[in-house]
Structure formats: structure tokens, C-alpha cells
Amino acid sequence: MTRLFTAPAPIVLITLFFGGVHLCVAGFLPLIEDETYYALWAGAPSWGYYDHPPMVAWLIRAGEMMFGTTAFGVRLFHVACFMIITPLTWHLAKTLSLSGATATKAALAYNLSLLTLALSNFATPDAPSALFWIATLWGMAHAVRSDRVGWWVLAGAFAGLGIQSKFTNLFLCVGILVWLGASAQGRLSARSKGPWLAILTAFLVIAPLVMWNAANDWVGLERQFGRISAATFDALLPVQFLLITAVVFSPVMTFFAIKGAIKTPGLLGWTSLPVLAYLLWHSTQHDVAANWLIPLHPIFAIWATMGMAGLRKSLQRIILGISAVFAVVILGLAFKPGTPLFTSHSPPNQIRGWDQAVEDISTVMDTTNAQWIATSQYGLTGRLAWEYPDVPVWSLVEPERYLFRGDFPEGLCDLPGVIIERERSAPKADEFVALTTPEQHVERRGGTSLLYTYRVQAFRGCQ
């Protein structure tokens, strides 16, 4: 394990530079909706939640214990996860017999991918998921190379922590089984006790998560595996998925990543195959979110530098430079102050216009003497709970999302409140409350663009 903390000066500089940038951004940007929702989880730590395993909440809780309920506190350990991936990528590349220069370029390429630059600033399950994905492969590479059982046990622990971060990491476990059966090196390893001890270790790590789901009607697994349901085939969606995959990594480096993957599939190829196959299949019927690809970006970076290995060093630097410029320009346009380019419900737009919106909502609450806030959308529930830490904020729908909070406090029904919902969405909570005033509207703007209108209406009593 100590090998993780020994890296050459260029890797240390890359880690500190990008980590410093992300820490500054993490403390400056307001939280996006999902982050406020996960921050709500962190107020009641649990072994499981409806949407994801608990790691994201645990990391937020740890950061808030150190820096309070601030954006920096919420994001600190998630930024740290992405920072640690840099030396892990270098170490993994070196363990797979790549040269020091190629391994260093892989670590740099990982940090220059558009998706890495974007997600490294935020607190989502993707951060620990990506960290423990690459850490599992790092442990396995050492286990194969050294034939020591301890490395297998460590890899199993990382695999379990990955599943405690996001169920996507189950695909890595499937990939490991594929590697054990399909590759000569894997079949040789399967004859030893190491891989089986790794499987046992992983199961012990995830046992509390399994027990929580069993005690709560399997709501977490049902929620995530419900995505597998079939839908109508759409030939354009796979094309869209492939384009998104190329864009969020780097349009230029993607070509070389494909070249490197074909050239030497090995451990990285076999273990990546199940998740790539699933995402491709999923894309024939549903949209694939870009962030689902983030655990593979260190692998893409290693493949890309392997694919560039035969090029002149100056050309390799140009390719990395083009990737950096592309990512910085895209993110600069997305997060630029003032009027946004688009008015979609994207993360850059989720952080805009809340100061004025909160002021307008507070005016309505003061006028109606509202003592609590009712909602029906989970993102808005998290956002309003973050903006109003001293006011009870409760969703009147989807109680399975809020198991960690306990039962709805019935006493709130005796107090005046306001219901707040996005106007674009169909009303969901009206049937649960006795409305007392005509609805009012609060706008949230980004510069001159209207992003959302919220319906705010007073009520007293629950139905």
C-alpha cells in the first residue's frame, strides 16, 4: 500500500496542480441539486439509501465534520478521491509494464479529459466509484505480478468499497470473473486461493449494504436495476452514446484509446468489457448519462497513451494540449457567469439564480407565516433543505427516498406551510395538503434567461 505514496516529481506536481484547482472550484461554486440531496443524506448516515449505496453520504459527513456545512466541506473528500486516482493511474500503468514516460502521460491524459475536469469539482457517487474501480485493478495487477495473497485481499476490499459507492462497480466484479475465465493469465490465477479470498473479502465489505436492502424491501437494488427494463429500440441512441463517449473523454485522444485497447486488451480490456457491453446495449433503448463512464477514464487514458506510443514526443504533447484546450473551453462556456448558452436543467444552470429566488421565496413565507416547506421533487427537496437549514423541508411523495429521515413528522400538518414545485412539472403534492391562498410564482434566472419558474402556494393541514 505504501507504493501508492511513492511517485516521481511529475506525478506529484500533476496531482497537486489539478487537485488545487478542483479544491478552489469546489469552495467557490454553489452546490448542484444532487449534491444538496446527498448532503441531506449525510445528516442521517445509514448503511443504504434508495438511490445509491452510502459512500457519498459518508464522505460528505466526514468533510462537514471538518469544515462545516459548506460547499467545501461537502466536496472535500470527493475531490480527494479524484486526486488519488492520478498516482493510481501512474502506478497501474507502471505495473502493467509501461515506461515511466508513458505512465506519466497517462496520468496527465486522465486529468485532461473533459469529464474528469468537470466531475472532479462535485460531490457525487462517481468520485469514490471511480477511485475504488482503479484501486481494485491496481491491487489485482500487483497480485498477478507478485503472486501474493495480500494483494488479492486488498483488491477484494477495494472492490467491495466500490460497490458501497455505486452499483455500477458490480460490472467490474463481473469483468474480473470474465478475466479469470477468458484469459490465460486469469485462468492461471484462478488456480490459487487469492481470487477467491478477494471475492470473500468483497462480500464481507458489502454485507451491511445487502442487509440494509434486505431489511428495506430491496429498494436500493430495485431502483438501480430497474434501469435494465426493456424499451423501444432506437438506432440513433447508440450513435449518440458513442459520440458522448468520445466527447467527454477527448475527441482527439479517443482515437488513440481505441488503438491502444485493440493492441493490448489484457486485464484492462477484459475487466472493462461487461460495463461497456451493458452501456452499449442500454444505449439502444435509453439515454446513457455521461457520468456513468467516469470509472473507465483512467483506463481510457492508459490506452490512449499506449496508442500514441509510436508518435513523436512533440506530436504527443500537441494532442494532450488540444485535449486540454477543448476541455477548458467547453467548461468555460458552460460555467461562464451571466446568461447561459442554454436553459436546460444542467449542472451549470442548477447553481444559477438562487440568491434572488431564495429571497423571493422568503418573502412569500414571511407573508403567509409559513413554518415549513413541502415539495415533491427530490432535487428541489435537497436544494431547499440546504438553503433553509432551520426550516423543516419535507417531500410529500416518494417516501422510499427518505427512509433515512424516519417517518414524516405528523405535527407539521398543524402548522402553516408553503408548497414549492417546479412549474414545468405536473403538480404532485396538491392532493396531500389543504391549499389556502392562490399560487404565486418565483423565477430563477441566469442573467437575462429564465431557467425555472416555481409555484409557491400557502396551505395549512394535510389530507
Side-chain angles (χ1 to χ4, degrees):
M1 188 68 178
T2 56
R3 299 185 190 187
L4 175 58
F5 302 101
T6 57
I11 295 301
V12 174
L13 291 174
I14 291 171
T15 303
L16 293 178
F17 173 77
F18 285 98
V21 170
H22 294 311
L23 286 172
C24 290
V25 173
F28 173 74
L29 287 181
L31 300 183
I32 62 175
E33 278 194 359
D34 278 359
E35 289 180 296
T36 61
Y37 179 50
Y38 301 141
L40 194 60
W41 294 8
S46 170
W47 280 110
Y49 299 90
Y50 172 70
D51 301 78
H52 291 291
M55 187 65 70
V56 61
W58 297 348
L59 294 180
I60 290 174
R61 183 60 175 261
E64 288 184 333
M65 289 175 66
M66 296 176 63
F67 293 95
T69 51
T70 62
F72 187 80
V74 167
R75 292 168 172 159
L76 172 63
F77 284 103
H78 293 81
V79 175
C81 285
F82 281 109
M83 289 178 66
I84 297 171
I85 292 174
T86 298
L88 272 176
T89 301
W90 182 86
H91 277 285
L92 177 58
K94 284 283 291 177
T95 306
L96 295 174
S97 301
L98 273 65
S99 68
T102 301
T104 299
K105 289 188 182 77
L108 181 58
Y110 159 73
N111 280 281
L112 294 178
S113 81
L114 174 60
L115 191 59
T116 299
L117 282 172
L119 286 183
S120 293
N121 308 297
F122 302 106
T124 71
D126 301 298
S129 168
L131 169 62
F132 292 121
W133 189 295
I134 195 71
T136 301
L137 294 176
W138 173 71
M140 283 184 62
H142 277 290
V144 171
R145 189 172 183 176
S146 67
D147 197 28
R148 292 173 60 183
V149 171
W151 282 109
W152 281 112
V153 172
L154 185 62
F158 285 144
L161 291 171
I163 298 169
Q164 287 279 23
S165 302
K166 198 171 183 179
F167 287 122
T168 304
N169 287 55
L170 285 167
F171 285 105
L172 174 60
C173 297
V174 175
I176 293 170
L177 294 176
V178 171
W179 174 80
L180 285 170
S183 71
Q185 192 176 49
R187 289 192 295 272
L188 181 62
S189 296
R191 296 173 187 170
S192 69
K193 61 183 178 181
W196 312 110
L197 286 174
I199 292 172
L200 175 61
T201 302
F203 181 77
L204 291 175
V205 171
I206 67 171
L209 174 63
V210 175
M211 293 171 63
W212 181 91
N213 272 274
N216 289 279
D217 298 322
W218 305 99
V219 293
L221 293 174
E222 182 179 310
R223 158 69 175 166
Q224 291 302 321
F225 286 95
R227 299 177 187 271
I228 300 177
S229 59
T232 304
F233 175 80
D234 187 335
L236 291 178
L237 287 177
V239 177
Q240 175 182 292
F241 164 65
L242 294 174
L243 288 174
I244 288 174
T245 302
V247 168
V248 298
F249 179 55
S250 164
V252 180
M253 286 196 296
T254 296
F255 170 78
F256 295 100
I258 295 171
K259 182 180 176 183
I262 294 173
K263 191 181 202 178
T264 51
L267 174 67
L268 302 187
W270 288 115
T271 54
S272 301
L273 186 60
V275 69
L276 286 172
Y278 167 72
L279 291 178
L280 185 59
W281 174 81
H282 187 91
S283 73
T284 64
Q285 304 166 74
H286 307 277
D287 289 328
V288 174
N291 63 292
W292 295 0
L293 295 160
I294 193 63
L296 296 178
H297 274 221
I299 297 168
F300 290 169
I302 292 173
W303 282 339
T305 51
M306 291 169 65
M308 292 190 292
L311 302 178
R312 295 193 308 272
K313 290 183 180 179
S314 59
L315 186 54
Q316 293 183 37
R317 286 193 288 267
I318 290 172
I319 292 170
L320 292 172
I322 292 173
S323 299
V325 171
F326 171 77
V328 170
V329 168
I330 294 297
L331 291 176
L333 290 173
F335 287 95
K336 73 178 182 68
T339 303
L341 296 178
F342 306 101
T343 58
S344 61
H345 191 57
S346 61
N349 286 342
Q350 290 175 21
I351 66 177
R352 301 176 189 269
W354 275 107
D355 288 345
Q356 184 60 50
V358 167
E359 186 176 323
D360 294 340
I361 291 171
S362 296
T363 299
V364 177
M365 293 180 65
D366 291 341
T367 302
T368 59
N369 193 33
Q371 303 298 303
W372 67 290
I373 297 172
T375 66
S376 61
Q377 293 108 3
Y378 77 90
L380 188 56
T381 302
R383 167 61 65 185
L384 293 172
W386 179 264
E387 299 290 349
Y388 293 93
D390 298 322
V391 177
V393 178
W394 282 83
S395 174
L396 300 181
V397 299
E398 298 183 303
E400 64 275 10
R401 284 189 179 274
Y402 307 96
L403 292 171
F404 61 94
R405 302 184 81 183
D407 294 333
F408 176 82
E410 297 292 341
L412 291 179
C413 289
D414 299 325
L415 302 174
V418 291
I419 185 170
I420 302 176
E421 292 184 304
R422 298 191 192 103
E423 197 174 59
R424 295 183 200 173
S425 306
K428 295 180 180 179
D430 287 7
E431 60 184 286
F432 298 102
V433 296
L435 301 172
T436 59
T437 65
E439 65 181 50
Q440 300 184 55
H441 299 92
V442 169
E443 295 181 345
R444 184 165 62 84
R445 292 182 169 272
T448 59
S449 293
L450 176 63
L451 300 176
Y452 264 105
T453 300
Y454 298 89
R455 180 174 68 90
V456 184
Q457 195 164 6
F459 66 89
R460 181 159 190 162
C462 304
Q463 304 188 101

